[in-house]
């Protein structure tokens, strides 16, 4: 039986439930009973209805992405993960199906996302307290509503929380083709900030460069193009970056630091290469470089700041000024989407489950 750490895992309680006033519909969910390879430990299963209390809202999930952190939680390598058995997914958008008798702010048909990160979005119906849901504009494209609260929000917060950036300033990042990287490029462009972007050397890099330039990138370099004595000469008339963003580690992180101006800051939010960051002592002593880390769940945004950020990002998405590549997949094809998200089938796009 699933543990009751969250109502997102609505399996039967041990105690007797006698004719509740309202019940959710039965739900179909992606469940894993143990940590391990996601493609072998996950299964689709039916979950019985659960009681809807007076302050609860029953949400019919509309769409939910498969994020790298979701995979890591199932594997058991993520710092925070729900106890097993558990239901996958930590992000998504849903439609209000029904509400408890005391709920006034939400009504059936409203679109909502989480106002907090809780496990269990990979299921067709979710029941939780009204305080955990945030109403959004229904004119928002579904795929962006489902994915706004992790990758785009991370990009925005990193641009705002570490260095005071002004129009005309410059940032540099590796992992520029990632969803966060694409968002950084577009958010920087909206604010008049230059972006210098580093991508891996692989076939089709010219097409990748062109795609990122269309999003608003000022400069895009492959790693091998930065094997020069003076990286500064590649900037032309663009100022040296104040802020660097690193999600790769290893040599890719070193390249970010090389671009930074005196007193610049590099923020690390990932380690895709699984290689350590090695920085020359020279950068600390003579350039006074600062190294910091970022983890979205560790940020202490209050509700007002969270909602302001989400509304801002979704407004940009509705206006076509924030976009990224997404592949919508029906919920019944979950395991196909999972294999693509794990890189076992070619796609390169973020997989979003459509319920």
């Amino acid at each position: 039986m699933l543990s009751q750490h969250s109502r997102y895992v609505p399996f039967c309680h041990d105690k007797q439930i006698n004719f509740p006033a309202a019940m959710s519909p039965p739900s179909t969910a992606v469940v894993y009973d143990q940590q391990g390879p996601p493609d072998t430990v996950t299964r689709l299963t039916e979950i019985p209805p659960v009681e809807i209390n007076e302050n609860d809202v029953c949400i019919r999930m509309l769409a939910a992405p498969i994020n790298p952190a979701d995979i890591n939680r199932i594997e058991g390598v993520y710092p925070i993960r729900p106890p097993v058995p558990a239901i996958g997914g930590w992000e998504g958008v849903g439609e209000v199906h029904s509400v408890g008798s005391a709920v006034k702010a939400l009504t059936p048909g409203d679109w909502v996302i989480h106002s907090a990160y809780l496990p269990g979005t990979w299921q067709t119906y979710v029941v939780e307290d009204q305080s955990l849901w945030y109403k959004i504009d229904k004119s928002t494209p579904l795929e962006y509503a489902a994915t706004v609260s992790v990758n785009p929000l991370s990009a925005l917060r990193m641009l705002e929380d570490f260095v005071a950036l002004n129009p005309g300033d410059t940032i540099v990042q590796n992992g520029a083709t990632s969803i966060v990287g694409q968002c950084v490029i577009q958010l920087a462009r909206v604010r008049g900030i230059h972006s210098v972007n580093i991508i891996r050397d692989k076939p089709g890099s010219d097409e990748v460069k062109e795609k990122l330039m269309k999003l608003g990138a000022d400069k895009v370099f492959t790693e091998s193009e930065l094997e020069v004595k003076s990286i500064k000469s590649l900037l032309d008339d663009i100022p040296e970056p104040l802020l660097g963003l690193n999600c790769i580690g290893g040599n890719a992180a070193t390249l970010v630091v090389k671009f930074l101006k005196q007193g610049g800051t590099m923020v690390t939010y990932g380690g895709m290469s699984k290689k350590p960051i090695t920085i020359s002592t020279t950068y600390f002593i003579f350039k006074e470089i600062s190294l910091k880390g970022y983890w979205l769940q560790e940020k202490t945004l209050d509700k007002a700041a969270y909602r302001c950020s989400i509304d801002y990002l979704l407004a940009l998405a509705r206006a076509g000024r924030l976009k990224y590549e997404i592949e919508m997949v029906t919920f019944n094809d979950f395991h196909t989407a999972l294999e693509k998200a794990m890189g076992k089938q070619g796609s390169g796009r973020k997989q979003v489950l459509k319920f």
Side-chain angles (χ1 to χ4, degrees):
M1 185 175 70
L2 286 181
S3 61
Q4 294 301 315
H5 66 282
S6 168
R7 296 277 303 291
Y8 275 100
V9 251
F11 276 64
C12 291
H13 296 276
D14 293 330
K15 65 182 182 180
Q16 182 73 29
I17 299 177
N18 295 316
F19 305 107
M23 300 291 288
S24 73
S27 187
T28 303
V30 175
V31 174
Y32 54 103
D33 300 301
Q34 60 183 340
Q35 264 94 35
D39 51 350
T40 61
V41 300
T42 56
R43 58 187 171 86
L44 281 171
T45 190
E46 296 299 314
I47 296 177
V50 295
E51 183 177 358
I52 301 172
N53 295 318
E54 63 176 11
N55 288 310
D56 287 341
V57 179
C58 177
I59 304 300
R60 182 177 70 86
M61 292 302 296
L62 298 175
I66 302 177
N67 289 318
D70 296 321
I71 293 172
N72 293 155
R73 288 186 186 96
I74 298 171
E75 293 171 330
V77 298
Y78 200 75
I80 292 180
R81 53 189 182 272
V84 293
I87 296 172
W90 280 55
E91 182 184 23
V93 61
E95 181 180 73
V96 175
H97 176 266
S98 58
V99 300
S101 59
V103 176
K104 305 300 181 186
L106 296 172
T107 58
D110 288 342
W111 278 22
V112 292
I113 62 173
H114 296 279
S115 62
Y117 296 98
L118 292 173
T121 57
W122 295 350
Q123 62 177 312
T124 51
Y125 289 92
V126 176
V127 176
E128 270 294 352
D129 189 88
Q130 62 177 328
S131 65
L132 297 177
W133 300 108
Y134 169 42
K135 182 177 176 180
I136 65 168
D137 190 325
K138 291 179 68 173
S139 67
T140 303
L142 183 65
E143 61 271 29
Y144 294 112
T147 57
V148 68
S149 61
V150 174
N151 293 153
L153 184 60
S154 292
L156 178 62
R157 296 270 45 95
M158 288 191 291
L159 287 175
E160 293 190 346
D161 290 354
F162 294 93
V163 174
L165 295 170
N166 298 306
D169 288 337
T170 307
I171 63 100
V172 57
Q173 66 170 342
N174 58 34
T177 58
S178 68
I179 300 296
V180 173
Q182 293 176 53
C183 290
V184 164
I185 290 170
Q186 294 167 88
L187 292 172
R189 184 182 191 181
V190 166
R191 295 159 181 237
I193 296 166
H194 304 291
S195 68
V196 176
N197 302 273
I198 304 169
I199 62 175
R200 291 180 296 172
D201 289 277
K202 61 180 182 180
S205 59
D206 286 341
E207 289 80 3
V208 173
K209 286 183 179 182
E210 184 179 351
K211 188 180 297 183
L212 295 181
M213 295 293 280
K214 286 182 178 178
L215 287 180
D218 292 274
K219 299 284 185 181
V220 184
F221 302 106
T222 62
E223 292 181 359
S224 64
E225 289 175 326
L226 301 179
E227 295 172 359
V228 295
K229 208 164 192 181
S230 175
I231 280 184
K232 292 180 185 179
S233 64
L234 300 175
L235 293 174
D236 298 325
D237 57 345
I238 295 177
E240 290 179 86
L242 283 165
L243 175 67
L245 304 177
N246 163 52
C247 67
I248 307 293
N251 183 60
T254 303
L255 294 174
V256 169
V257 171
K258 284 184 177 180
F259 271 110
L260 292 177
K261 71 178 300 182
Q262 184 81 21
T265 297
M266 183 175 78
V267 177
T268 293
Y269 66 100
M272 293 172 61
S273 71
K274 298 183 179 178
K275 295 180 180 178
I277 297 171
T278 304
I279 305 298
S280 169
T281 305
T282 300
Y283 292 112
F284 290 109
I285 296 176
F286 299 106
K287 291 191 71 175
E288 300 179 285
I289 297 299
S290 296
L291 301 183
K292 297 185 178 180
Y294 177 83
W295 185 25
L296 180 62
Q297 286 184 284
E298 285 296 292
K299 303 307 290 184
T300 54
L301 274 180
D302 62 26
K303 284 188 177 181
Y306 174 84
R307 294 185 175 196
C308 181
S309 296
I310 293 296
D311 285 341
Y312 171 72
L313 292 166
L314 291 181
L316 289 175
R318 289 192 296 272
R321 303 179 73 186
L322 182 66
K323 50 192 174 183
Y324 36 86
E325 294 186 338
I326 291 172
E327 183 174 352
M328 302 289 283
V329 183
T330 60
F331 189 41
N332 288 337
D333 290 329
F334 166 75
H335 279 97
T336 299
L338 181 62
E339 288 188 358
K340 290 182 179 181
M342 295 174 67
K344 294 188 175 183
Q345 292 188 28
S347 173
R349 297 181 179 183
K350 178 176 285 294
Q351 300 295 296
V352 176
L353 304 171
K354 186 176 181 179
F355 297 86

